[in-house]
Amino acid sequence: MKRETKSSAWMVLLGAAVLLVLVTALENTLDPTSNIMLFTALKKGAVYALVAVSMNLLNGFTGLFSLGQAGFMLLGAYTYAILTIPVESREAVYYIYNGCAINFSLPELLGGGPVGLVLGVVLALILGGCVAAAVAWLIGLPVLRLKSDYLAIATLGFGEIIRAIFQWDKLGPVTNGANALKSFPTFSTFNIPGGLRLSTFMAFLLAGVCIAVIVLLINSTYGRAFKAIRDDEVAAEAMGIHLAKHKRLAFCISSFFAGVGGGMFAMFANQAQAKNFTTAMTYEILLIVVIGGIGSVSGSCIAAFLYVAASEWWLRFLDTETVLSNGFKVPFLRTGFRMVVFSIIIMIVVLFFRRGIMGDKEITDLLRPRRKEGRAK
């Protein structure tokens, strides 16, 4: 059994390496201007895959129904942006509020150049996750006493409150109020002038490393404790599992990776602005988790790319009015019709795949050879 697990894990690692090479090859062979939607879908899909897996860790593997993912993403995005904006750009960014309260940039503090850029970006993303985890620990003290729908309502309210706070003018010298933060390193910053384009590669690499850490956690003793709490809290407590401790741990870890995903979303969007992290974003992530399969990391990753590709790329032609050569105007094709068709597709998928695309299975389960049934008596 261990040999089968090892071989499946090596196959997944090999597949991930091949995927990184393929993404890099595509980005450096295809014209980025004519294939902009392809690379946009790939980068946003990578970000959404990470956030969906972080939500699945809480909702699918621990059984806690939380809807605060957008709020934790906001914390990570703002932390990342504030810590990485170049010093010379801060006056232009914070001109409305007469100066910036934070006058340093991590990439510059770490020496600048390519090494300082990479270290500064990684450290800022980690700190963004830490800020989100710290806030999750604080609000988890009272909120995690609630269950089911009440927990979902409380965490949803947290997301709305934190979004309003970050747009407060009194915090303008730090957050720039309701205005967007810009000029920080994005995925495109990692493109080598006159050389390799590595923006999509970086999105996949960062998301892949974080998802790999979550998978290792799920397969650890802590992950087994999370699953035991999900299946039966009474039985889990009887086996010696500290319910409050493990629930808070799962909540903080999920929030940490949501914060990292928020920083990556800021890198994708080239700006950090509170109004982008709405309740609708949390619902999008939840929908990805449901479509992929609650309790399946692989399902969340696959569903994230399918969701982004369908909503942002494949169905975009439905928003364009089309007139044929004979003057006939194709009905229904107009702005907004894309989302109507997309909603119908989602309804069909949910009806025919009630447990999601992968259910509670992983890609490694599909790669393992099926055991032969015992001999007939």
Side-chain angles (χ1 to χ4, degrees), residues 79-87 90 102-113 115-128 185:
T79 302
Y80 170 79
I82 291 169
L83 293 177
T84 55
I85 296 175
V87 174
R90 290 181 182 268
I102 299 174
N103 294 312
F104 68 89
S105 173
L106 284 180
E108 295 174 358
L109 282 180
L110 295 173
V115 176
L117 172 65
V118 173
L119 293 178
V121 166
V122 172
L123 181 58
L125 288 174
I126 293 174
L127 290 175

Side-chain angles (χ1 to χ4, degrees), residues 68 70-75 78 135 139 155-168 171 274 277:
F72 296 119
M73 288 178 69
L74 184 151
L75 289 169
Y78 269 81
V135 174
I139 68 168
T155 51
L156 186 64
F158 154 76
E160 291 299 308
I161 291 170
I162 203 72
R163 184 159 60 92
I165 290 175
F166 270 69
Q167 296 180 88
W168 188 27
L171 291 178
F277 299 91

Side-chain angles (χ1 to χ4, degrees), residues 21-314:
V21 173
L22 178 61
V23 164
T24 306
L26 283 174
E27 191 171 19
N28 287 276
T29 53
L30 298 178
D31 183 11
T33 55
S34 58
N35 295 279
I36 187 171
M37 290 309 303
L38 168 63
F39 297 115
T40 298
L42 287 175
K43 284 181 277 193
K44 188 175 181 180
V47 175
Y48 270 31
L50 170 58
V51 182
V53 171
S54 72
M55 176 179 271
N56 212 344
L57 172 66
L58 193 63
N59 293 15
F61 290 95
T62 314
L64 299 176
F65 189 28
S66 170
L67 292 177
Q69 223 67 3
F72 296 119
M73 288 178 69
L74 184 151
L75 289 169
Y78 269 81
T79 302
Y80 170 79
I82 291 169
L83 293 177
T84 55
I85 296 175
V87 174
E88 62 181 9
S89 301
R90 290 181 182 268
E91 291 185 6
V93 172
Y94 296 93
Y95 66 94
I96 295 178
Y97 299 97
N98 299 320
C100 175
I102 299 174
N103 294 312
F104 68 89
S105 173
L106 284 180
E108 295 174 358
L109 282 180
L110 295 173
V115 176
L117 172 65
V118 173
L119 293 178
V121 166
V122 172
L123 181 58
L125 288 174
I126 293 174
L127 290 175
C130 291
V131 170
V135 174
W137 185 83
L138 289 174
I139 68 168
L141 293 174
V143 165
L144 291 179
R145 298 175 182 271
L146 305 172
K147 293 184 179 180
S148 187
D149 299 341
Y150 300 102
L151 175 60
I153 293 170
T155 51
L156 186 64
F158 154 76
E160 291 299 308
I161 291 170
I162 203 72
R163 184 159 60 92
I165 290 175
F166 270 69
Q167 296 180 88
W168 188 27
D169 286 345
K170 297 293 184 181
L171 291 178
V174 178
T175 64
N176 205 23
N179 305 287
L181 295 175
K182 299 180 180 180
S183 302
F184 49 79
T186 64
F187 290 130
S188 300
T189 307
F190 292 92
N191 291 335
I192 301 174
L196 290 174
R197 290 190 290 268
L198 299 174
S199 60
T200 309
F201 169 82
M202 286 302 300
F204 271 68
L205 180 63
L206 291 171
V209 170
C210 292
I211 292 172
V213 173
I214 294 175
V215 171
L216 291 175
L217 174 67
I218 291 172
N219 293 324
S220 68
T221 54
Y222 287 103
R224 289 191 285 273
F226 295 158
K227 293 175 186 177
I229 294 172
R230 174 196 62 189
D231 295 337
D232 193 326
E233 289 190 8
V234 176
E237 191 172 23
M239 289 190 297
I241 297 174
H242 195 299
L243 296 183
K245 173 187 173 182
H246 283 83
K247 284 183 179 181
R248 194 176 301 118
L249 182 63
F251 192 52
C252 291
I253 293 173
S254 174
S255 303
F256 172 85
F257 286 106
V260 175
M264 291 177 60
F265 185 82
M267 295 176 71
F268 161 76
N270 299 327
Q271 65 175 14
Q273 193 167 13
K275 70 176 185 180
N276 294 330
F277 299 91
T278 61
T279 304
M281 178 178 283
T282 297
Y283 292 153
E284 285 182 336
I285 303 301
L286 178 62
L287 184 59
I288 289 171
V289 172
V290 173
I291 292 175
I294 297 177
S296 172
V297 173
S298 306
S300 295
C301 295
I302 294 170
F305 286 100
L306 291 177
Y307 178 90
V308 172
S311 61
E312 302 283 346
W313 180 24
W314 294 338

